[in-house]
Amino acid sequence: MEGDCLSCMKYLMFVFNFFIFLGGACLLGVGIWVMVDPTGFREIVAANPLLLTGAYILLAMGGLLFLLGFLGCCGAVRENKCLLLFFFLFILIIFLAELSAAILAFIFRENLTREFFTKELTKHYQGNNDTDVFSATWNSVMITFGCCGVNGPEDFRFAPVFRLLTQDSGEVPEACCRREPQSRDGVLLSREECLLGRSLFLNKQGCYTVILNTFETYVYLAGALAIGVLAIELFAMIFAMCLFRGIQ
């Protein structure tokens, strides 16, 4: 009876570690996509130290889960106590790190509000100055997503640095102008009319709403995936300890 229980525990351990292996592969894939994505999301991440750190953490966690899932499967199949103990300790460390990251993300969530981005844009935006990382990033985002400012073109009326550099010659930056197609290589419909604020020739929707709508589905998916991974890790630790104690 004890042997059957141990055998069942071994196979359950293998199944949970296989899911950890798959979860690690998914996180690794998402982390790589964020870092190499050609649509402009990479530049948003690169310009924000908090997001850049998060992307590297995602890559590291994905890689570790990928490796540990493999080790856990080997430990379960071979019934190796050393591998099982190593697996348990590292899963525990990762579990606590992920839990800490989730708590920190909740605490600092106010840094991702509409008001925060509006304040930063109006304070630091310098128009077509591509030597400024902040401005170049915003230009790339506005061109890529076909949007203008955080809330809309009116944001630039309250951007003192932008108004000073353009000497009030333009209501909006060139990045807000509509293109055909809507990409960096696209042709401006009418640069002059756009810079004068003519609504037919500029993108009127704010980037906050556009990006939120674009990534809303992925945010919920990422949250569900994170909860699933944490639950699997918790069960894997329990099965690892049970199997560790059951091996003679």
Side-chain angles (χ1 to χ4, degrees):
M1 185 72 177
E2 186 179 340
D4 291 339
C5 185
L6 186 65
S7 179
C8 179
M9 195 71 69
K10 181 174 77 172
Y11 287 116
L12 282 172
M13 175 73 178
F14 178 84
V15 169
F16 273 105
N17 277 284
F18 181 70
F19 280 115
I20 287 174
F21 176 82
L22 289 180
C26 288
L27 288 176
L28 198 58
V30 170
I32 292 171
W33 173 76
V34 167
M35 297 305 293
V36 302
D37 174 51
T39 62
F41 190 62
R42 172 184 57 190
E43 294 171 350
I44 305 174
V45 173
N48 190 318
L50 191 63
L51 290 178
L52 185 62
T53 303
Y56 281 120
I57 289 173
L58 200 66
L59 280 170
M61 288 299 172
L64 278 174
L65 286 176
F66 184 86
L67 176 64
L68 289 174
F70 177 76
L71 289 176
C73 288
C74 291
V77 172
R78 299 166 77 83
E79 296 185 10
N80 187 306
K81 294 185 78 170
C82 183
L83 272 177
L84 287 171
L85 184 60
F86 176 81
F87 167 82
F88 174 84
L89 291 174
F90 270 85
I91 282 288
L92 180 62
I93 292 169
I94 291 173
F95 180 83
L96 293 174
E98 288 174 342
L99 203 58
S100 301
I103 292 169
L104 286 173
F106 178 77
I107 292 172
F108 292 107
R109 69 190 185 283
E110 66 272 9
N111 286 348
L112 299 176
T113 61
R114 184 187 294 269
E115 291 74 20
F116 172 79
F117 285 117
T118 303
K119 179 182 175 184
E120 291 297 300
L121 176 69
T122 54
K123 184 178 180 182
H124 301 293
Y125 184 72
Q126 299 180 18
N128 294 328
N129 182 6
D130 289 332
T131 59
D132 177 59
V133 174
F134 181 87
S135 302
T137 300
W138 263 106
N139 289 336
S140 179
V141 169
M142 290 190 288
I143 292 171
T144 300
F145 290 97
C147 54
C148 187
V150 177
N151 309 287
E154 64 276 5
D155 287 345
F156 297 101
R157 296 175 189 167
F158 311 103
V161 179
F162 169 70
R163 306 303 300 181
L164 180 66
L165 291 174
T166 58
Q167 298 178 344
D168 291 327
S169 60
E171 292 292 321
V172 295
E174 187 178 303
C176 284
C177 298
R178 292 180 61 188
R179 297 162 185 255
E180 190 59 47
Q182 187 60 50
S183 67
R184 187 171 286 277
D185 297 325
V187 179
L188 295 171
L189 296 185
S190 175
R191 183 178 181 276
E192 293 74 17
E193 294 293 327
C194 169
L195 296 183
L196 290 173
R198 302 286 190 268
S199 59
L200 287 175
F201 302 97
L202 62 85
N203 297 306
K204 293 179 285 186
Q205 196 168 12
C207 293
Y208 190 87
T209 301
V210 172
I211 293 174
L212 199 64
N213 291 339
T214 302
F215 291 104
E216 187 175 20
T217 305
Y218 299 104
V219 168
Y220 288 124
L221 183 63
L225 179 65
I227 292 171
V229 168
L230 286 172
I232 290 169
E233 286 172 357
L234 187 61
F235 280 109
M237 286 190 290
I238 293 170
F239 284 128
M241 266 297 103
C242 292
L243 189 59
F244 179 86
R245 290 169 62 86
I247 295 173
Q248 301 300 321

